[in-house]
Amino acid sequence: MFIKGVTSTGFNYEITEAALNNYELFEVIAEIEEKPLLLPKLVRLLFGKEQKEKLMDYCRDEDGTVPIQRVKDEIIEIFNSQQKVKNS
């Protein structure tokens, strides 16, 4: 089973049930506000290697850098959209 969606900026994502059922992901989510350096681990656990690279390429600026805030905004929107689905 997959959770699929598209962010408001146009990033298409798929999250596996296995990824969402991973205790390590749960731990990272619980700690990320106090430890923002866990963001790369969260992205890797949530998306896996291939889709993580797609997100990085999607967020990449013209000069080749990947702004942290852009990645963070995409992740926050993905989590927020799933909350809305669960609350419906």
Side-chain angles (χ1 to χ4, degrees), residues 7-55:
T7 64
S8 62
T9 64
F11 178 67
N12 289 291
Y13 62 90
E14 277 187 7
I15 304 170
T16 65
E17 187 173 340
L20 292 175
N21 198 31
N22 183 348
Y23 183 80
E24 288 181 292
L25 177 65
F26 178 75
E27 281 185 323
V28 170
I29 291 168
E31 294 180 32
I32 200 148
E33 281 205 33
E34 290 87 31
K35 300 177 183 177
L37 292 176
L38 288 173
L39 182 60
K41 185 173 184 177
L42 183 142
V43 171
R44 183 177 41 83
L45 289 170
L46 188 63
F47 292 123
K49 185 178 178 180
E50 185 178 314
Q51 194 168 197
K52 173 194 171 247
E53 291 305 316
K54 287 180 183 178
L55 176 62

Side-chain angles (χ1 to χ4, degrees), residues 68-84:
I68 296 167
Q69 190 61 49
R70 176 112 190 257
V71 173
K72 191 175 173 183
D73 290 346
E74 295 291 329
I75 298 299
I76 289 170
E77 183 176 338
I78 290 167
F79 277 110
N80 286 341
S81 69
Q82 294 312 306
Q83 281 298 109
K84 288 177 188 173

